């Protein structure tokens, strides 16, 4: 559902050797609750170049998307990571789901080397206070997560909107699914009330 003030929350399908993806699981949990239909639109992205471009195309073509919260799996992490930067690089250690395997390259030729999230610092500080299992990260990696984040932030800079943030999430063995889902919903609620949508 797309309405004025929509917060677009995205996750990814499983990739590589992973049988499931916590970000997709959270998207499915949110989608089951009609209480959030008026503020949250959810989408599960493919783990490939097409998936990485989906949100940036939405940003350029649909001004009603006023905030974007990207979710991705970080299987080796024990904490939720707020990604502060997206980097203009692709460094794949394994192929994406389309079979693309770029060991080194740029996402956008001639693009900025690093783009910082345009989320307000006060909101990030608020998120960080919610749990000692949340930390700020300076490196979103070189896979499709970072590629998606970079493309979304490029589009947001061009349009001067929306706010875009990426959260890397640990597997549910580290933090249970229900806790991570509640956390994501709390971030969306903070966006609704504290960011000028």
């Amino acid at each position: 559902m797309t309405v004025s003030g929509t917060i677009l929350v995205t996750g990814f399908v499983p990739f590589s050797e992973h049988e499931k993806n916590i970000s997709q699981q959270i998207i499915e949990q949110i989608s089951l609750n009609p209480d959030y239909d008026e503020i949250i639109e959810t989408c599960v992205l493919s783990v490939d170049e097409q998936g990485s471009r989906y949100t940036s195309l939405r940003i350029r073509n649909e001004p009603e998307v006023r905030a974007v919260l990207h979710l991705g799996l970080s299987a080796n992490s024990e904490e939720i990571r707020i990604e502060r930067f997206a980097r203009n690089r692709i460094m794949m250690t394994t192929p994406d789901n389309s079979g693309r395997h770029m060991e080194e390259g740029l996402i956008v030729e001639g693009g900025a080397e690093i783009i910082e999230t345009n989320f307000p610092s006060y909101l990030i500080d608020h998120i960080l206070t919610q749990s000692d299992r949340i930390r700020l990260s300076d490196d979103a990696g070189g896979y499709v997560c970072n590629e998606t984040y970079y493309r979304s932030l490029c589009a947001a800079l061009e349009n001067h909107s929306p706010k875009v943030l990426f959260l890397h999430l640990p597997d549910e063995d580290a933090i249970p699914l229900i806790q991570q889902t509640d956390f994501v919903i709390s971030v969306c609620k903070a966006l609704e009330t504290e960011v000028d949508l």
Side-chain angles (χ1 to χ4, degrees):
M1 180 176 188
T2 303
V3 294
S4 179
T6 290
I7 301 168
L8 176 62
V9 184
T10 74
F12 291 98
V13 297
F15 61 95
S16 188
E17 76 281 2
H18 303 291
E19 295 183 0
K20 51 188 178 177
N21 190 321
I22 188 77
S23 66
Q24 180 181 25
Q25 292 174 271
I26 290 173
I27 292 298
E28 290 169 351
Q29 291 294 310
I30 294 173
S31 299
L32 291 172
N33 193 328
D35 292 344
Y36 305 120
D37 282 352
E38 291 302 315
I39 62 167
I40 301 173
E41 179 191 356
T42 57
C43 181
V44 178
L45 305 176
S46 55
V47 181
D48 54 20
E49 184 176 357
Q50 182 178 353
S52 79
R53 292 179 178 274
Y54 173 84
T55 307
S56 61
L57 291 172
R58 290 282 307 273
I59 290 170
R60 290 185 173 100
N61 295 315
E62 299 179 27
E64 62 268 27
V65 176
R66 305 299 301 278
V68 175
L69 183 62
H70 287 305
L71 310 176
L73 170 65
S74 179
N76 297 323
S77 180
E78 296 291 318
E79 302 169 303
I80 295 170
R81 292 177 11 218
I82 301 172
E83 298 297 349
R84 185 177 171 196
F85 300 108
R87 300 175 190 272
N88 190 11
R89 69 178 183 204
I90 298 179
M91 298 172 58
M92 295 181 170
T93 56
T94 59
D96 68 15
N97 288 0
S98 71
R100 182 181 58 146
H101 191 188
M102 292 179 62
E103 295 183 5
E104 185 175 348
L106 297 177
I107 300 167
V108 177
E109 291 289 339
E113 182 180 352
I114 300 173
I115 304 178
E116 186 172 4
T117 179
N118 59 359
F119 256 51
S121 58
Y122 73 84
L123 183 55
I124 291 176
D125 290 343
H126 170 73
I127 295 169
L128 286 167
T129 64
Q130 293 188 36
S131 170
D132 58 5
R133 303 290 300 278
I134 306 166
R135 70 176 178 87
L136 202 57
S137 168
D138 288 340
D139 193 341
Y143 201 56
V144 178
C145 287
N146 175 71
E147 182 181 10
T148 302
Y149 197 19
Y150 187 86
R151 293 189 192 282
S152 295
L153 283 172
C154 281
L157 283 174
E158 291 169 16
N159 282 23
H160 308 290
S161 179
K163 306 299 183 188
V164 181
L165 187 67
F166 198 107
L167 300 178
H168 258 130
L169 308 170
D171 207 340
E172 60 184 321
D173 292 339
I175 302 177
L177 173 62
I178 187 64
Q179 289 184 23
Q180 296 201 57
T181 302
D182 288 345
F183 168 72
V184 169
I185 290 170
S186 74
V187 173
C188 291
K189 288 180 177 177
L191 265 175
E192 184 193 20
T193 58
E194 297 188 38
V195 175
D196 181 16
L197 295 176

